C-alpha cells in the first residue's frame, strides 16, 4: 500500500515580502497518520464536470449522512487542468474553461477556511449543484449556512486562491496511476477499482474500514 497523504486542507506555510509584492510560499504537508482509524478519502474533482457533480450529490453526500463517523474527506479541486508560470502568479487551463478554474479556486478556499466538516460538505455540495457563476454560487451558498465568507472571498480573488489551485494541481499530477478519469477517488491512498468506488461508494468505504465493529449502515450494504 502506498503511503497515505492526509491533507485536510491546502496549507500556506509562510509568506515573504519583496518590495511592494507579497510572495506566498506554500507546499503540501505530508501527515503520515489516519485519524482515529477512519478511512481517508481524497477526492480529485473539477467543479463543472457532470461526473464530479453526480458523485458529490449522489454518492459522497449520502455516504456522509450515514457513515460520517468512519471517514474523512480531502478535497482536491483541479481535475484535468494544466498549470503554467506567469510572472508572480500561476495561470491555469481547465478542462471546462476559465469559469471552471475560478470555481475550483472557490472550492479550494472553502475547503481551507471552513473548519466544520458537515458545513464544509454542505457548502461544497451547494456550490457544485450550480457552479456556472462561481462568485454568485459561493455567495448564494454562504447565505444558506454559516461560513467565513470574507475569508473565502478574499482567498478566491487573490494570490492565496491562485496558490491553492496550483497546489491542488501538484497533488493531482502526482497521482499514480495518473488521472484518466475525473473524479478520481482514493481510499487510504489507493485508487482501487474506480468504477466501483464511484458507483458504490458507501459499500467500498465499509470494505476499507478496518474496525471489527461495523456501523449498522455498513452491515446492511456489505
Amino acid at each position: 500500500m502506498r503511503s497515505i497523504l492526509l491533507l485536510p486542507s491546502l496549507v500556506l506555510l509562510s509568506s515573504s515580502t519583496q518590495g511592494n509584492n507579497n510572495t506566498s510560499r506554500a507546499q503540501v504537508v505530508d501527515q503520515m497518520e489516519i485519524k482515529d482509524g477512519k478511512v481517508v478519502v481524497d477526492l480529485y474533482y473539477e467543479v463543472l464536470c457532470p461526473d464530479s457533480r453526480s458523485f458529490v450529490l449522489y454518492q459522497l453526500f449520502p455516504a456522509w449522512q450515514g457513515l460520517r463517523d468512519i471517514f474523512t474527506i480531502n478535497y482536491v479541486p483541479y481535475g484535468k487542468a494544466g498549470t503554467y508560470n506567469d510572472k508572480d502568479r500561476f495561470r491555469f487551463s481547465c478542462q471546462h474553461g476559465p469559469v471552471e478554474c475560478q470555481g475550483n479556486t472557490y472550492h479550494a478556499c472553502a475547503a481551507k477556511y471552513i473548519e466544520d466538516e458537515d458545513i464544509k460538505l454542505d457548502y461544497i455540495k451547494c456550490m457544485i449543484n450550480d457552479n456556472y457563476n462561481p462568485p454568485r454560487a459561493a455567495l448564494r451558498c454562504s447565505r444558506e449556512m454559516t461560513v467565513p465568507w470574507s475569508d473565502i472571498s478574499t482567498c478566491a480573488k487573490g494570490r492565496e486562491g491562485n496558490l491553492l489551485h496550483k497546489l491542488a494541481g501538484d497533488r493531482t499530477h502526482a497521482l499514480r496511476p495518473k488521472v484518466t478519469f475525473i473524479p478520481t477517488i482514493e481510499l487510504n491512498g489507493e485508487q482501487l477499482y474506480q468504477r466501483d468506488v464511484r458507483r458504490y461508494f458507501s459499500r467500498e468505504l465499509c470494505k476499507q474500514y478496518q474496525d471489527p465493529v461495523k456501523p449498522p449502515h455498513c452491515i446492511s450494504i456489505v
Side-chain angles (χ1 to χ4, degrees):
M1 179 180 292
R2 290 169 40 216
S3 60
I4 297 164
L5 178 62
L6 179 59
L7 189 62
S9 60
L10 298 169
V11 183
L12 289 175
L13 293 183
S14 63
S15 62
S16 63
T17 302
Q18 297 180 351
N20 293 324
N21 297 322
N22 292 327
T23 303
S24 297
R25 300 172 182 172
Q27 67 184 60
V28 176
V29 180
D30 291 340
Q31 300 176 13
M32 307 306 296
E33 62 175 326
I34 303 176
K35 288 187 176 180
D36 305 321
K38 293 182 178 182
V39 179
V40 178
V41 175
D42 295 314
L43 173 60
Y44 296 85
Y45 70 110
E46 54 195 16
V47 303
L48 294 185
C49 166
D51 292 304
S52 294
R53 178 182 180 275
S54 179
F55 178 78
V56 171
L57 297 181
Y58 305 118
Q59 294 291 330
L60 184 64
F61 184 71
W64 186 258
Q65 290 180 304
L67 296 167
R68 61 167 53 86
D69 292 336
I70 74 167
F71 73 106
T72 62
I73 310 167
N74 297 320
Y75 302 90
V76 190
Y78 183 82
K80 293 183 178 180
T83 300
Y84 310 93
N85 289 319
D86 187 8
K87 298 181 180 178
D88 62 340
R89 294 175 66 89
F90 298 101
R91 183 168 52 86
F92 306 99
S93 174
C94 293
Q95 185 174 15
H96 299 95
V99 171
E100 181 166 72
C101 294
Q102 186 183 37
N104 287 343
T105 302
Y106 271 95
H107 279 239
C109 291
K112 176 178 179 180
Y113 281 104
I114 301 175
E115 295 182 359
D116 183 284
E117 297 299 328
D118 291 323
I119 296 176
K120 184 183 298 185
L121 179 53
D122 283 343
Y123 192 73
I124 296 291
K125 171 177 172 284
C126 179
M127 286 195 296
I128 207 169
N129 188 49
D130 183 1
N131 231 147
Y132 289 95
N133 187 326
R136 183 177 298 175
L139 178 60
R140 169 177 52 82
C141 294
S142 75
R143 291 170 174 168
E144 297 179 12
M145 58 201 75
T146 302
V147 299
W149 170 242
S150 178
D151 291 334
I152 294 169
S153 179
T154 299
C155 169
K157 294 175 182 177
R159 182 168 293 152
E160 182 180 23
N162 181 260
L163 198 52
L164 291 178
H165 196 201
K166 189 265 184 186
L167 289 177
D170 289 347
R171 288 198 63 184
T172 302
H173 292 307
L175 276 174
R176 295 295 181 271
K178 293 183 178 181
V179 164
T180 58
F181 190 91
I182 292 296
T184 290
I185 306 102
E186 287 194 327
L187 305 182
N188 286 344
E190 298 289 343
Q191 293 185 27
L192 306 174
Y193 184 55
Q194 281 292 291
R195 182 172 295 182
D196 281 355
V197 175
R198 289 192 297 266
R199 292 183 177 182
Y200 311 109
F201 181 64
S202 291
R203 187 189 72 186
E204 297 305 305
L205 266 180
C206 291
K207 287 182 178 179
Q208 295 299 312
Y209 186 56
Q210 299 300 312
D211 194 307
V213 180
K214 302 292 184 183
H217 191 59
C218 281
I219 295 171
S220 66
I221 63 176
V222 175

